[in-house]
Amino acid sequence: RTGITRIPVVVHVLWKTPAQNISDAQINSQIDVLNQDFRRTNADVSLTPDPFRPLTADARLEFFLATTAPDGTPSTGIVRKQTTANSFSYDDGVKSNATNGSDAWPSDRYLNIWVCELSDGLLGYAQFPGGAAETDGVVILHSAFGTTGTAAAPFNRGRTATHEIGHWLNLNHIWGDDGTGCAGSDNVADTPNQAASNAGTPTFPSVSCGNGPHGDMFMNYMDYVDDAAMFMFTAGQVARMHACLDGPRSSIGF
Ligand code: ARG
Ligand code: ZN
Ligand code: CA
C-alpha cells in the first residue's frame, strides 16, 4: 500500500450531564493527535530509546471529520445526543438508538467513534475487523478523549483513541494477550516478545521473556502505559494495519 490513506470519521457524543457534551475543540484536539500519531509527527517519538528508534514508522493514515452524512447532506461529522443512560459499558449499548445510544453510520465508509461516560474503569474498547457492521468502530471515555476540556491526566494526550484505532485496524496488544506467559504473540515480527502489559511510566529497559538487553517495547501504542509514556508504532504494525486496509477494510478511506 502506497501513499496516504484518509479516513472519514463520525464522532457520536452521548451526554447526560452537560460536561459530557464535550466541546468541538476537544473533538478537534483528538483528531489532531490521531494525525500526529498515525503520521509519526508526534513530538514525543523522539523519546523512543535508541535501539527501538529505527523501528518507529509512519502509518501514513490521516483522519478527518466527515463532511457528508450518509444521506449525502453536508455534515460536521459530529452527532450530539442527550441520553438517559448514566454510563455505558462493553455491551455496545452506546452504538444503538434503541439502547439510548446512537446508531452507527455505515461502517464500510466511516470510522465511527462513540464518546461517552463509561463504567467499569474502562478507557475505551474497539471492534476488530470482521465483526457486525452495526457495532463497528471504537468507544472512548470522554475524559480520555483529546487533550483539552474534560480530558484528565494521565489519559489526556489522546492515546486511548490511537490505541483503539490500532485494534480497529487489526493490531493486537503487544504482550500477546496471554496473561503473564511468553507464549502469546501480537503477530508482528518486529516487536519483542513480551510477557505482560506494562502500566504507568516504566523505565527503560524492562526485560521479560528473555527479550534483553532492550526488553519490552512498552512505549508502543499497543501497550497499557500512560498516554505520556506511549509514542510509537513499528513498521511491522504498520504493515499489519495496511493489510487490514487492503483486505477487510478496503472500502474505507481515500
Ligand atoms: N484499556 C483499553 C484497551 O484495552 C485502552 C488502554 C489505553 N491506554 C492509554 N494509555 N490510553 O483497549
Ligand atoms: Zn487494547
Ligand atoms: Ca511480537
Side-chain angles (χ1 to χ4, degrees), residues 133-158:
E134 311 75 56
T135 50
D136 195 48
V138 306
V139 181
I140 313 287
L141 173 68
H142 71 85
S143 55
F145 192 75
T147 61
T148 187
T150 67
F155 302 113
N156 58 346
R157 296 202 185 189

Side-chain angles (χ1 to χ4, degrees), residues 163 167 173 224:
H163 175 108
H167 287 315
H173 288 137
Y224 265 3

Side-chain angles (χ1 to χ4, degrees), residues 175-184 194-197:
W175 67 95
D177 286 312
D178 62 338
T180 56
C182 296
Q194 170 176 325
S197 60

Side-chain angles (χ1 to χ4, degrees), residues 15-16 82-88 99-100:
W15 62 276
K16 183 172 188 194
Q82 191 168 9
T83 178
T84 55
N86 289 319
S87 64
F88 294 94
T99 47
N100 299 309

Side-chain angles (χ1 to χ4, degrees), residues 38 54 83 90 103 119 127 134 189 203 240:
F38 285 86
T83 178
Y90 268 126
D103 286 350
S119 57
Q127 183 166 302
E134 311 75 56
T203 302
R240 192 170 166 86

Side-chain angles (χ1 to χ4, degrees), residues 90 122-126 144 154-155 158-161 163-164 167 173 175 221 223-227 230:
Y90 268 126
L122 276 175
L123 294 173
Y125 63 99
F155 302 113
R159 262 67 194 256
T160 301
H163 175 108
E164 301 306 337
H167 287 315
H173 288 137
W175 67 95
Y221 295 124
D223 206 328
Y224 265 3
V225 296
D226 288 349
D227 279 15
M230 53 168 60

Side-chain angles (χ1 to χ4, degrees), residues 212-223:
H214 308 317
D216 294 358
M217 190 185 276
F218 57 77
M219 69 297 307
N220 191 282
Y221 295 124
M222 299 317 290
D223 206 328

